[in-house]
Amino acid sequence: MTVLGHSNAAPQNRHHLSYTGFRVNRPGSRFPRQDSPFMRLSAYFLPILRDDPKEAEIISHKLMLRAGMIRQEAAGSYSWLPLGFRVLKKIEQIVREEQNRAGAIEVLMPTIQSADLWRKSGRYDAYGKEMLRIKDRHDRDMLFGPTNEEMITDIFRHGAQSYRDLPRNLYHIQWKFRDEVRPRFGVMRGREFLMKDAYSFDLDAEGGRHSYNKMFVSYLRTFARMGLKAIPMRAETGPIGGKDSHEFLILADTGESQVFFDRDFYDMDWTEFSIDYDDAAAVGKLVEDFTSKYAATDDKHEAAEFEKLPADRRLSGRGIEVGHIFFFGSKYSEPLGAVVQGKDGQPVTVLSGSYGIGVSRLVGAIIEASHDEAGIIWPEPVAPFKLALINLKAGDSGTDAACEKIYGALGAKGVEVLYDDTDARPGAKFATMDLIGLPWQVIIGPRGLKDGIAEVKNRRTGERSNVPLTEIVDRFSA
RNA sequence: CGGAGUGUAGCGCAGUCUGGUAGCGCACCUGCUUCGGGAGCAGGGGGUCGGAGGUUCGAAUCCUCUCACUCCGACCA
């Protein structure tokens, strides 16, 4: 992003022109461009609610509504307001980066699909009422995609003819719709939801195993980057079918399923997953480490096996599923004719797996796992802004000037800052910022200003420290 | 899909039983005083009561139909 002007820009509302004549924004502008890393609260759209809306049952749903992140449009379908949208995009981007790192290739498929492919796989009738069926003007059967195995398999088979075209892993991040009988829990179980789905294609079982394992490791990395410990558990394969399957669950009191797992998961290293994805043995070893310990949801729970663990290692709690991976072999490639020519010239039916992450669900899941009485506590990598700059006395020339200077300097360094430049009272400002949960609060008021200091508060720990104004920018732009 | 419930101002609610033309708190606007953890006073703006039909001189209120949303269950990423 191009930012012109001085880092210590004085407050003013005029737009400046870049050399190309396009208007660009700068920290001093009251209305920065939409992709700006910084924002003035006075120019933002943040409809905060003081009371819990009655339709919300669980904490994440209440907090998302109160923090002005989402707005319900119909049962299980939500508009994403600016603050929520930023979080959604942060999560989406982390997922994207880790998919790419693991060698998956991004595509984009339509939300509306033709029924034809689904008739071929036999799922048009099998899927039931959860599938939203639509007719177009020619009375053709269409549907709003609940998932994309058929379509991606069809895409792949048209683009791959030889064993040389394998292995491949294609993924997309797209809105899906499942017409749940009873949507609830806000974005945790909506009807319309944003999902990352990857689909792997391999020549043989060994290759398929490697593809599966790569996704397994990429999931460990993905969730770890969001500040989550998502424990992989043996899973039911459900309507998608297949043999090997793991669910990734994060622990939260409001989780939808009961989980049982080995305490050892707590002691494992959840941060160091730098690994060569092409090294099948190393990847397999890491997967082995994470799957050899007991972890299961209630429907796969085997009490007898669990009891073998020493009592102090047997842990149980509630979990929220945030990812699910399957290896299902030829379940779709067979009926859809995904066949390539092998080395010996003979046709080979490819083997595939599918790997999902609930991107929109993660927004709620992270809040379930990270909040307190005052509101949300965002892990820094997914926070809508890194810090809140709070002007305790807007209108006072001293605090205004000090805040503008820091706001401008942080903006110039690309630090994501939400600047509360409104003339609300201090207590209201603190409450709002605690509610929306930005990781850091930089508080500037006349009291500290006398000594040239700002108060820096860590949202998670509540820890406060006095930091000289001159050091603020360096501290957050490192 | 079975059971229960709720729709009245942006949000939370009262009013409905016992019909008489809509009210409270928060939020919002103006002014004054305040100003380091959701300020006080004063003055304002905003809803036609989910929708349609009916009963009645008169309907938020009674009747019929309908739509939406929520909760429990079954189901599910």
Side-chain angles (χ1 to χ4, degrees), chain A residues 173-194:
Chain A
I173 300 173
Q174 178 63 292
W175 291 93
K176 305 195 169 193
F177 193 95
R178 291 184 192 168
D179 199 358
E180 296 279 347
V181 187
R182 185 149 98 83
R184 63 187 122 171
F185 305 149
V187 299
M188 296 260 291
R189 184 151 162 220
R191 290 192 296 175
E192 189 173 350
F193 53 96
L194 187 61

mmCIF file with all atom_site columns, all heavy atoms in Angstrom, chain A residues 173-194:
data_model
loop_
_atom_site.group_PDB
_atom_site.id
_atom_site.type_symbol
_atom_site.label_atom_id
_atom_site.label_alt_id
_atom_site.label_comp_id
_atom_site.label_asym_id
_atom_site.label_entity_id
_atom_site.label_seq_id
_atom_site.pdbx_PDB_ins_code
_atom_site.Cartn_x
_atom_site.Cartn_y
_atom_site.Cartn_z
_atom_site.occupancy
_atom_site.B_iso_or_equiv
_atom_site.pdbx_formal_charge
_atom_site.auth_seq_id
_atom_site.auth_comp_id
_atom_site.auth_asym_id
_atom_site.auth_atom_id
_atom_site.pdbx_PDB_model_num
ATOM 1   N N   . ILE A 1 173 ? -11.903 -21.857 -1.568 1.00 0.00 ? 173 ILE A N   1
ATOM 2   C CA  . ILE A 1 173 ? -12.504 -21.275 -0.374 1.00 0.00 ? 173 ILE A CA  1
ATOM 3   C C   . ILE A 1 173 ? -13.767 -20.591 -0.863 1.00 0.00 ? 173 ILE A C   1
ATOM 4   O O   . ILE A 1 173 ? -13.701 -19.614 -1.608 1.00 0.00 ? 173 ILE A O   1
ATOM 5   C CB  . ILE A 1 173 ? -11.543 -20.267 0.291  1.00 0.00 ? 173 ILE A CB  1
ATOM 6   C CG1 . ILE A 1 173 ? -10.249 -20.972 0.698  1.00 0.00 ? 173 ILE A CG1 1
ATOM 7   C CG2 . ILE A 1 173 ? -12.218 -19.620 1.501  1.00 0.00 ? 173 ILE A CG2 1
ATOM 8   C CD1 . ILE A 1 173 ? -9.157  -20.046 1.226  1.00 0.00 ? 173 ILE A CD1 1
ATOM 9   N N   . GLN A 1 174 ? -14.899 -21.150 -0.493 1.00 0.00 ? 174 GLN A N   1
ATOM 10  C CA  . GLN A 1 174 ? -16.145 -20.706 -1.108 1.00 0.00 ? 174 GLN A CA  1
ATOM 11  C C   . GLN A 1 174 ? -17.317 -20.841 -0.142 1.00 0.00 ? 174 GLN A C   1
ATOM 12  O O   . GLN A 1 174 ? -17.273 -21.643 0.788  1.00 0.00 ? 174 GLN A O   1
ATOM 13  C CB  . GLN A 1 174 ? -16.393 -21.554 -2.374 1.00 0.00 ? 174 GLN A CB  1
ATOM 14  C CG  . GLN A 1 174 ? -17.660 -21.277 -3.107 1.00 0.00 ? 174 GLN A CG  1
ATOM 15  C CD  . GLN A 1 174 ? -17.747 -19.872 -3.668 1.00 0.00 ? 174 GLN A CD  1
ATOM 16  O OE1 . GLN A 1 174 ? -17.843 -18.899 -2.931 1.00 0.00 ? 174 GLN A OE1 1
ATOM 17  N NE2 . GLN A 1 174 ? -17.703 -19.756 -4.990 1.00 0.00 ? 174 GLN A NE2 1
ATOM 18  N N   . TRP A 1 175 ? -18.338 -20.070 -0.387 1.00 0.00 ? 175 TRP A N   1
ATOM 19  C CA  . TRP A 1 175 ? -19.550 -20.159 0.424  1.00 0.00 ? 175 TRP A CA  1
ATOM 20  C C   . TRP A 1 175 ? -20.349 -21.387 0.045  1.00 0.00 ? 175 TRP A C   1
ATOM 21  O O   . TRP A 1 175 ? -20.501 -21.696 -1.138 1.00 0.00 ? 175 TRP A O   1
ATOM 22  C CB  . TRP A 1 175 ? -20.388 -18.889 0.261  1.00 0.00 ? 175 TRP A CB  1
ATOM 23  C CG  . TRP A 1 175 ? -19.708 -17.741 0.888  1.00 0.00 ? 175 TRP A CG  1
ATOM 24  C CD1 . TRP A 1 175 ? -18.869 -16.864 0.261  1.00 0.00 ? 175 TRP A CD1 1
ATOM 25  C CD2 . TRP A 1 175 ? -19.717 -17.362 2.267  1.00 0.00 ? 175 TRP A CD2 1
ATOM 26  N NE1 . TRP A 1 175 ? -18.360 -15.958 1.171  1.00 0.00 ? 175 TRP A NE1 1
ATOM 27  C CE2 . TRP A 1 175 ? -18.869 -16.242 2.410  1.00 0.00 ? 175 TRP A CE2 1
ATOM 28  C CE3 . TRP A 1 175 ? -20.348 -17.867 3.403  1.00 0.00 ? 175 TRP A CE3 1
ATOM 29  C CZ2 . TRP A 1 175 ? -18.640 -15.625 3.639  1.00 0.00 ? 175 TRP A CZ2 1
ATOM 30  C CZ3 . TRP A 1 175 ? -20.138 -17.245 4.614  1.00 0.00 ? 175 TRP A CZ3 1
ATOM 31  C CH2 . TRP A 1 175 ? -19.292 -16.138 4.731  1.00 0.00 ? 175 TRP A CH2 1
ATOM 32  N N   . LYS A 1 176 ? -20.835 -22.069 1.039  1.00 0.00 ? 176 LYS A N   1
ATOM 33  C CA  . LYS A 1 176 ? -21.629 -23.265 0.803  1.00 0.00 ? 176 LYS A CA  1
ATOM 34  C C   . LYS A 1 176 ? -22.938 -23.118 1.566  1.00 0.00 ? 176 LYS A C   1
ATOM 35  O O   . LYS A 1 176 ? -23.053 -22.290 2.464  1.00 0.00 ? 176 LYS A O   1
ATOM 36  C CB  . LYS A 1 176 ? -20.881 -24.492 1.306  1.00 0.00 ? 176 LYS A CB  1
ATOM 37  C CG  . LYS A 1 176 ? -19.510 -24.558 0.671  1.00 0.00 ? 176 LYS A CG  1
ATOM 38  C CD  . LYS A 1 176 ? -18.875 -25.897 0.840  1.00 0.00 ? 176 LYS A CD  1
ATOM 39  C CE  . LYS A 1 176 ? -17.651 -25.911 -0.063 1.00 0.00 ? 176 LYS A CE  1
ATOM 40  N NZ  . LYS A 1 176 ? -17.113 -27.231 -0.236 1.00 0.00 ? 176 LYS A NZ  1
ATOM 41  N N   . PHE A 1 177 ? -23.861 -23.954 1.184  1.00 0.00 ? 177 PHE A N   1
ATOM 42  C CA  . PHE A 1 177 ? -25.169 -23.872 1.827  1.00 0.00 ? 177 PHE A CA  1
ATOM 43  C C   . PHE A 1 177 ? -25.675 -25.265 2.142  1.00 0.00 ? 177 PHE A C   1
ATOM 44  O O   . PHE A 1 177 ? -25.724 -26.114 1.263  1.00 0.00 ? 177 PHE A O   1
ATOM 45  C CB  . PHE A 1 177 ? -26.166 -23.145 0.920  1.00 0.00 ? 177 PHE A CB  1
ATOM 46  C CG  . PHE A 1 177 ? -27.434 -22.737 1.623  1.00 0.00 ? 177 PHE A CG  1
ATOM 47  C CD1 . PHE A 1 177 ? -27.560 -21.462 2.142  1.00 0.00 ? 177 PHE A CD1 1
ATOM 48  C CD2 . PHE A 1 177 ? -28.482 -23.633 1.778  1.00 0.00 ? 177 PHE A CD2 1
ATOM 49  C CE1 . PHE A 1 177 ? -28.717 -21.074 2.811  1.00 0.00 ? 177 PHE A CE1 1
ATOM 50  C CE2 . PHE A 1 177 ? -29.640 -23.264 2.448  1.00 0.00 ? 177 PHE A CE2 1
ATOM 51  C CZ  . PHE A 1 177 ? -29.757 -21.973 2.966  1.00 0.00 ? 177 PHE A CZ  1
ATOM 52  N N   . ARG A 1 178 ? -25.983 -25.472 3.399  1.00 0.00 ? 178 ARG A N   1
ATOM 53  C CA  . ARG A 1 178 ? -26.654 -26.712 3.773  1.00 0.00 ? 178 ARG A CA  1
ATOM 54  C C   . ARG A 1 178 ? -27.908 -26.318 4.533  1.00 0.00 ? 178 ARG A C   1
ATOM 55  O O   . ARG A 1 178 ? -27.841 -25.601 5.521  1.00 0.00 ? 178 ARG A O   1
ATOM 56  C CB  . ARG A 1 178 ? -25.749 -27.591 4.645  1.00 0.00 ? 178 ARG A CB  1
ATOM 57  C CG  . ARG A 1 178 ? -24.574 -28.128 3.826  1.00 0.00 ? 178 ARG A CG  1
ATOM 58  C CD  . ARG A 1 178 ? -23.700 -29.081 4.583  1.00 0.00 ? 178 ARG A CD  1
ATOM 59  N NE  . ARG A 1 178 ? -22.467 -29.297 3.815  1.00 0.00 ? 178 ARG A NE  1
ATOM 60  C CZ  . ARG A 1 178 ? -21.385 -29.897 4.286  1.00 0.00 ? 178 ARG A CZ  1
ATOM 61  N NH1 . ARG A 1 178 ? -21.372 -30.361 5.522  1.00 0.00 ? 178 ARG A NH1 1
ATOM 62  N NH2 . ARG A 1 178 ? -20.326 -30.040 3.527  1.00 0.00 ? 178 ARG A NH2 1
ATOM 63  N N   . ASP A 1 179 ? -29.026 -26.799 4.043  1.00 0.00 ? 179 ASP A N   1
ATOM 64  C CA  . ASP A 1 179 ? -30.303 -26.372 4.603  1.00 0.00 ? 179 ASP A CA  1
ATOM 65  C C   . ASP A 1 179 ? -30.607 -27.132 5.879  1.00 0.00 ? 179 ASP A C   1
ATOM 66  O O   . ASP A 1 179 ? -31.490 -27.984 5.919  1.00 0.00 ? 179 ASP A O   1
ATOM 67  C CB  . ASP A 1 179 ? -31.401 -26.578 3.555  1.00 0.00 ? 179 ASP A CB  1
ATOM 68  C CG  . ASP A 1 179 ? -32.636 -25.747 3.862  1.00 0.00 ? 179 ASP A CG  1
ATOM 69  O OD1 . ASP A 1 179 ? -32.630 -25.049 4.894  1.00 0.00 ? 179 ASP A OD1 1
ATOM 70  O OD2 . ASP A 1 179 ? -33.589 -25.802 3.078  1.00 0.00 ? 179 ASP A OD2 1
ATOM 71  N N   . GLU A 1 180 ? -29.849 -26.793 6.920  1.00 0.00 ? 180 GLU A N   1
ATOM 72  C CA  . GLU A 1 180 ? -30.008 -27.428 8.223  1.00 0.00 ? 180 GLU A CA  1
ATOM 73  C C   . GLU A 1 180 ? -31.446 -27.300 8.714  1.00 0.00 ? 180 GLU A C   1
ATOM 74  O O   . GLU A 1 180 ? -32.070 -26.256 8.548  1.00 0.00 ? 180 GLU A O   1
ATOM 75  C CB  . GLU A 1 180 ? -29.113 -26.731 9.259  1.00 0.00 ? 180 GLU A CB  1
ATOM 76  C CG  . GLU A 1 180 ? -27.639 -26.847 9.009  1.00 0.00 ? 180 GLU A CG  1
ATOM 77  C CD  . GLU A 1 180 ? -27.085 -28.172 9.478  1.00 0.00 ? 180 GLU A CD  1
ATOM 78  O OE1 . GLU A 1 180 ? -27.810 -28.880 10.207 1.00 0.00 ? 180 GLU A OE1 1
ATOM 79  O OE2 . GLU A 1 180 ? -25.951 -28.495 9.112  1.00 0.00 ? 180 GLU A OE2 1
ATOM 80  N N   . VAL A 1 181 ? -31.927 -28.342 9.335  1.00 0.00 ? 181 VAL A N   1
ATOM 81  C CA  . VAL A 1 181 ? -33.266 -28.290 9.907  1.00 0.00 ? 181 VAL A CA  1
ATOM 82  C C   . VAL A 1 181 ? -33.322 -27.169 10.939 1.00 0.00 ? 181 VAL A C   1
ATOM 83  O O   . VAL A 1 181 ? -34.253 -26.384 10.990 1.00 0.00 ? 181 VAL A O   1
ATOM 84  C CB  . VAL A 1 181 ? -33.607 -29.614 10.621 1.00 0.00 ? 181 VAL A CB  1
ATOM 85  C CG1 . VAL A 1 181 ? -35.051 -29.594 11.061 1.00 0.00 ? 181 VAL A CG1 1
ATOM 86  C CG2 . VAL A 1 181 ? -33.322 -30.774 9.726  1.00 0.00 ? 181 VAL A CG2 1
ATOM 87  N N   . ARG A 1 182 ? -32.282 -27.153 11.757 1.00 0.00 ? 182 ARG A N   1
ATOM 88  C CA  . ARG A 1 182 ? -32.294 -26.153 12.811 1.00 0.00 ? 182 ARG A CA  1
ATOM 89  C C   . ARG A 1 182 ? -30.921 -25.506 12.966 1.00 0.00 ? 182 ARG A C   1
ATOM 90  O O   . ARG A 1 182 ? -30.077 -25.967 13.718 1.00 0.00 ? 182 ARG A O   1
ATOM 91  C CB  . ARG A 1 182 ? -32.690 -26.787 14.141 1.00 0.00 ? 182 ARG A CB  1
ATOM 92  C CG  . ARG A 1 182 ? -32.832 -25.753 15.219 1.00 0.00 ? 182 ARG A CG  1
ATOM 93  C CD  . ARG A 1 182 ? -33.867 -26.158 16.211 1.00 0.00 ? 182 ARG A CD  1
ATOM 94  N NE  . ARG A 1 182 ? -33.274 -26.762 17.390 1.00 0.00 ? 182 ARG A NE  1
ATOM 95  C CZ  . ARG A 1 182 ? -32.786 -26.042 18.385 1.00 0.00 ? 182 ARG A CZ  1
ATOM 96  N NH1 . ARG A 1 182 ? -32.795 -24.734 18.314 1.00 0.00 ? 182 ARG A NH1 1
ATOM 97  N NH2 . ARG A 1 182 ? -32.290 -26.635 19.425 1.00 0.00 ? 182 ARG A NH2 1
ATOM 98  N N   . PRO A 1 183 ? -30.691 -24.424 12.249 1.00 0.00 ? 183 PRO A N   1
ATOM 99  C CA  . PRO A 1 183 ? -29.445 -23.707 12.422 1.00 0.00 ? 183 PRO A CA  1
ATOM 100 C C   . PRO A 1 183 ? -29.415 -23.090 13.814 1.00 0.00 ? 183 PRO A C   1
ATOM 101 O O   . PRO A 1 183 ? -30.458 -22.736 14.366 1.00 0.00 ? 183 PRO A O   1
ATOM 102 C CB  . PRO A 1 183 ? -29.490 -22.624 11.347 1.00 0.00 ? 183 PRO A CB  1
ATOM 103 C CG  . PRO A 1 183 ? -30.863 -22.591 10.821 1.00 0.00 ? 183 PRO A CG  1
ATOM 104 C CD  . PRO A 1 183 ? -31.599 -23.791 11.312 1.00 0.00 ? 183 PRO A CD  1
ATOM 105 N N   . ARG A 1 184 ? -28.234 -22.976 14.388 1.00 0.00 ? 184 ARG A N   1
ATOM 106 C CA  . ARG A 1 184 ? -28.135 -22.319 15.697 1.00 0.00 ? 184 ARG A CA  1
ATOM 107 C C   . ARG A 1 184 ? -26.688 -21.964 15.986 1.00 0.00 ? 184 ARG A C   1
ATOM 108 O O   . ARG A 1 184 ? -25.806 -22.251 15.203 1.00 0.00 ? 184 ARG A O   1
ATOM 109 C CB  . ARG A 1 184 ? -28.710 -23.207 16.794 1.00 0.00 ? 184 ARG A CB  1
ATOM 110 C CG  . ARG A 1 184 ? -27.965 -24.521 16.984 1.00 0.00 ? 184 ARG A CG  1
ATOM 111 C CD  . ARG A 1 184 ? -28.692 -25.408 17.966 1.00 0.00 ? 184 ARG A CD  1
ATOM 112 N NE  . ARG A 1 184 ? -29.024 -26.676 17.323 1.00 0.00 ? 184 ARG A NE  1
ATOM 113 C CZ  . ARG A 1 184 ? -29.511 -27.725 17.957 1.00 0.00 ? 184 ARG A CZ  1
ATOM 114 N NH1 . ARG A 1 184 ? -29.778 -27.656 19.228 1.00 0.00 ? 184 ARG A NH1 1
ATOM 115 N NH2 . ARG A 1 184 ? -29.768 -28.840 17.322 1.00 0.00 ? 184 ARG A NH2 1
ATOM 116 N N   . PHE A 1 185 ? -26.496 -21.331 17.114 1.00 0.00 ? 185 PHE A N   1
ATOM 117 C CA  . PHE A 1 185 ? -25.155 -20.952 17.553 1.00 0.00 ? 185 PHE A CA  1
ATOM 118 C C   . PHE A 1 185 ? -24.480 -19.976 16.602 1.00 0.00 ? 185 PHE A C   1
ATOM 119 O O   . PHE A 1 185 ? -23.267 -20.004 16.432 1.00 0.00 ? 185 PHE A O   1
ATOM 120 C CB  . PHE A 1 185 ? -24.262 -22.192 17.724 1.00 0.00 ? 185 PHE A CB  1
ATOM 121 C CG  . PHE A 1 185 ? -24.832 -23.231 18.642 1.00 0.00 ? 185 PHE A CG  1
ATOM 122 C CD1 . PHE A 1 185 ? -24.559 -24.572 18.453 1.00 0.00 ? 185 PHE A CD1 1
ATOM 123 C CD2 . PHE A 1 185 ? -25.658 -22.858 19.700 1.00 0.00 ? 185 PHE A CD2 1
ATOM 124 C CE1 . PHE A 1 185 ? -25.095 -25.535 19.299 1.00 0.00 ? 185 PHE A CE1 1
ATOM 125 C CE2 . PHE A 1 185 ? -26.198 -23.811 20.554 1.00 0.00 ? 185 PHE A CE2 1
ATOM 126 C CZ  . PHE A 1 185 ? -25.913 -25.159 20.347 1.00 0.00 ? 185 PHE A CZ  1
ATOM 127 N N   . GLY A 1 186 ? -25.240 -19.114 15.964 1.00 0.00 ? 186 GLY A N   1
ATOM 128 C CA  . GLY A 1 186 ? -24.646 -18.101 15.107 1.00 0.00 ? 186 GLY A CA  1
ATOM 129 C C   . GLY A 1 186 ? -23.864 -18.710 13.961 1.00 0.00 ? 186 GLY A C   1
ATOM 130 O O   . GLY A 1 186 ? -24.335 -19.647 13.324 1.00 0.00 ? 186 GLY A O   1
ATOM 131 N N   . VAL A 1 187 ? -22.664 -18.204 13.715 1.00 0.00 ? 187 VAL A N   1
ATOM 132 C CA  . VAL A 1 187 ? -21.884 -18.682 12.572 1.00 0.00 ? 187 VAL A CA  1
ATOM 133 C C   . VAL A 1 187 ? -21.303 -20.066 12.818 1.00 0.00 ? 187 VAL A C   1
ATOM 134 O O   . VAL A 1 187 ? -20.742 -20.667 11.910 1.00 0.00 ? 187 VAL A O   1
ATOM 135 C CB  . VAL A 1 187 ? -20.728 -17.717 12.227 1.00 0.00 ? 187 VAL A CB  1
ATOM 136 C CG1 . VAL A 1 187 ? -21.282 -16.349 11.866 1.00 0.00 ? 187 VAL A CG1 1
ATOM 137 C CG2 . VAL A 1 187 ? -19.724 -17.607 13.377 1.00 0.00 ? 187 VAL A CG2 1
ATOM 138 N N   . MET A 1 188 ? -21.458 -20.571 14.033 1.00 0.00 ? 188 MET A N   1
ATOM 139 C CA  . MET A 1 188 ? -20.902 -21.896 14.320 1.00 0.00 ? 188 MET A CA  1
ATOM 140 C C   . MET A 1 188 ? -21.692 -22.979 13.608 1.00 0.00 ? 188 MET A C   1
ATOM 141 O O   . MET A 1 188 ? -21.175 -24.043 13.299 1.00 0.00 ? 188 MET A O   1
ATOM 142 C CB  . MET A 1 188 ? -20.953 -22.149 15.821 1.00 0.00 ? 188 MET A CB  1
ATOM 143 C CG  . MET A 1 188 ? -20.094 -21.177 16.567 1.00 0.00 ? 188 MET A CG  1
ATOM 144 S SD  . MET A 1 188 ? -18.534 -21.898 16.998 1.00 0.00 ? 188 MET A SD  1
ATOM 145 C CE  . MET A 1 188 ? -19.095 -23.060 18.197 1.00 0.00 ? 188 MET A CE  1
ATOM 146 N N   . ARG A 1 189 ? -22.957 -22.703 13.420 1.00 0.00 ? 189 ARG A N   1
ATOM 147 C CA  . ARG A 1 189 ? -23.743 -23.678 12.685 1.00 0.00 ? 189 ARG A CA  1
ATOM 148 C C   . ARG A 1 189 ? -24.812 -22.974 11.869 1.00 0.00 ? 189 ARG A C   1
ATOM 149 O O   . ARG A 1 189 ? -26.000 -23.094 12.124 1.00 0.00 ? 189 ARG A O   1
ATOM 150 C CB  . ARG A 1 189 ? -24.362 -24.696 13.641 1.00 0.00 ? 189 ARG A CB  1
ATOM 151 C CG  . ARG A 1 189 ? -25.090 -25.758 12.884 1.00 0.00 ? 189 ARG A CG  1
ATOM 152 C CD  . ARG A 1 189 ? -25.116 -27.058 13.608 1.00 0.00 ? 189 ARG A CD  1
ATOM 153 N NE  . ARG A 1 189 ? -26.172 -27.884 13.039 1.00 0.00 ? 189 ARG A NE  1
ATOM 154 C CZ  . ARG A 1 189 ? -26.970 -28.640 13.749 1.00 0.00 ? 189 ARG A CZ  1
ATOM 155 N NH1 . ARG A 1 189 ? -26.855 -28.696 15.047 1.00 0.00 ? 189 ARG A NH1 1
ATOM 156 N NH2 . ARG A 1 189 ? -27.882 -29.355 13.149 1.00 0.00 ? 189 ARG A NH2 1
ATOM 157 N N   . GLY A 1 190 ? -24.345 -22.238 10.901 1.00 0.00 ? 190 GLY A N   1
ATOM 158 C CA  . GLY A 1 190 ? -25.256 -21.544 10.018 1.00 0.00 ? 190 GLY A CA  1
ATOM 159 C C   . GLY A 1 190 ? -25.650 -22.449 8.872  1.00 0.00 ? 190 GLY A C   1
ATOM 160 O O   . GLY A 1 190 ? -25.204 -23.590 8.776  1.00 0.00 ? 190 GLY A O   1
ATOM 161 N N   . ARG A 1 191 ? -26.503 -21.947 8.022  1.00 0.00 ? 191 ARG A N   1
ATOM 162 C CA  . ARG A 1 191 ? -26.831 -22.696 6.810  1.00 0.00 ? 191 ARG A CA  1
ATOM 163 C C   . ARG A 1 191 ? -25.871 -22.298 5.695  1.00 0.00 ? 191 ARG A C   1
ATOM 164 O O   . ARG A 1 191 ? -25.421 -23.109 4.914  1.00 0.00 ? 191 ARG A O   1
ATOM 165 C CB  . ARG A 1 191 ? -28.277 -22.406 6.399  1.00 0.00 ? 191 ARG A CB  1
ATOM 166 C CG  . ARG A 1 191 ? -29.276 -23.029 7.379  1.00 0.00 ? 191 ARG A CG  1
ATOM 167 C CD  . ARG A 1 191 ? -30.671 -23.004 6.841  1.00 0.00 ? 191 ARG A CD  1
ATOM 168 N NE  . ARG A 1 191 ? -31.150 -21.636 6.677  1.00 0.00 ? 191 ARG A NE  1
ATOM 169 C CZ  . ARG A 1 191 ? -32.315 -21.330 6.135  1.00 0.00 ? 191 ARG A CZ  1
ATOM 170 N NH1 . ARG A 1 191 ? -33.111 -22.268 5.682  1.00 0.00 ? 191 ARG A NH1 1
ATOM 171 N NH2 . ARG A 1 191 ? -32.695 -20.069 6.039  1.00 0.00 ? 191 ARG A NH2 1
ATOM 172 N N   . GLU A 1 192 ? -25.556 -21.002 5.655  1.00 0.00 ? 192 GLU A N   1
ATOM 173 C CA  . GLU A 1 192 ? -24.570 -20.551 4.677  1.00 0.00 ? 192 GLU A CA  1
ATOM 174 C C   . GLU A 1 192 ? -23.258 -20.358 5.421  1.00 0.00 ? 192 GLU A C   1
ATOM 175 O O   . GLU A 1 192 ? -23.218 -19.706 6.470  1.00 0.00 ? 192 GLU A O   1
ATOM 176 C CB  . GLU A 1 192 ? -25.025 -19.233 4.042  1.00 0.00 ? 192 GLU A CB  1
ATOM 177 C CG  . GLU A 1 192 ? -24.168 -18.816 2.869  1.00 0.00 ? 192 GLU A CG  1
ATOM 178 C CD  . GLU A 1 192 ? -24.734 -17.607 2.147  1.00 0.00 ? 192 GLU A CD  1
ATOM 179 O OE1 . GLU A 1 192 ? -25.870 -17.202 2.433  1.00 0.00 ? 192 GLU A OE1 1
ATOM 180 O OE2 . GLU A 1 192 ? -24.027 -17.065 1.291  1.00 0.00 ? 192 GLU A OE2 1
ATOM 181 N N   . PHE A 1 193 ? -22.183 -20.923 4.904  1.00 0.00 ? 193 PHE A N   1
ATOM 182 C CA  . PHE A 1 193 ? -20.922 -20.841 5.629  1.00 0.00 ? 193 PHE A CA  1
ATOM 183 C C   . PHE A 1 193 ? -19.746 -20.851 4.669  1.00 0.00 ? 193 PHE A C   1
ATOM 184 O O   . PHE A 1 193 ? -19.842 -21.377 3.559  1.00 0.00 ? 193 PHE A O   1
ATOM 185 C CB  . PHE A 1 193 ? -20.802 -22.003 6.624  1.00 0.00 ? 193 PHE A CB  1
ATOM 186 C CG  . PHE A 1 193 ? -21.004 -23.364 6.005  1.00 0.00 ? 193 PHE A CG  1
ATOM 187 C CD1 . PHE A 1 193 ? -19.915 -24.117 5.602  1.00 0.00 ? 193 PHE A CD1 1
ATOM 188 C CD2 . PHE A 1 193 ? -22.279 -23.873 5.829  1.00 0.00 ? 193 PHE A CD2 1
ATOM 189 C CE1 . PHE A 1 193 ? -20.101 -25.371 5.011  1.00 0.00 ? 193 PHE A CE1 1
ATOM 190 C CE2 . PHE A 1 193 ? -22.470 -25.117 5.243  1.00 0.00 ? 193 PHE A CE2 1
ATOM 191 C CZ  . PHE A 1 193 ? -21.384 -25.869 4.833  1.00 0.00 ? 193 PHE A CZ  1
ATOM 192 N N   . LEU A 1 194 ? -18.656 -20.250 5.097  1.00 0.00 ? 194 LEU A N   1
ATOM 193 C CA  . LEU A 1 194 ? -17.458 -20.200 4.263  1.00 0.00 ? 194 LEU A CA  1
ATOM 194 C C   . LEU A 1 194 ? -16.560 -21.372 4.628  1.00 0.00 ? 194 LEU A C   1
ATOM 195 O O   . LEU A 1 194 ? -16.259 -21.594 5.792  1.00 0.00 ? 194 LEU A O   1
ATOM 196 C CB  . LEU A 1 194 ? -16.706 -18.876 4.480  1.00 0.00 ? 194 LEU A CB  1
ATOM 197 C CG  . LEU A 1 194 ? -15.518 -18.644 3.540  1.00 0.00 ? 194 LEU A CG  1
ATOM 198 C CD1 . LEU A 1 194 ? -15.960 -18.600 2.079  1.00 0.00 ? 194 LEU A CD1 1
ATOM 199 C CD2 . LEU A 1 194 ? -14.797 -17.350 3.904  1.00 0.00 ? 194 LEU A CD2 1
#
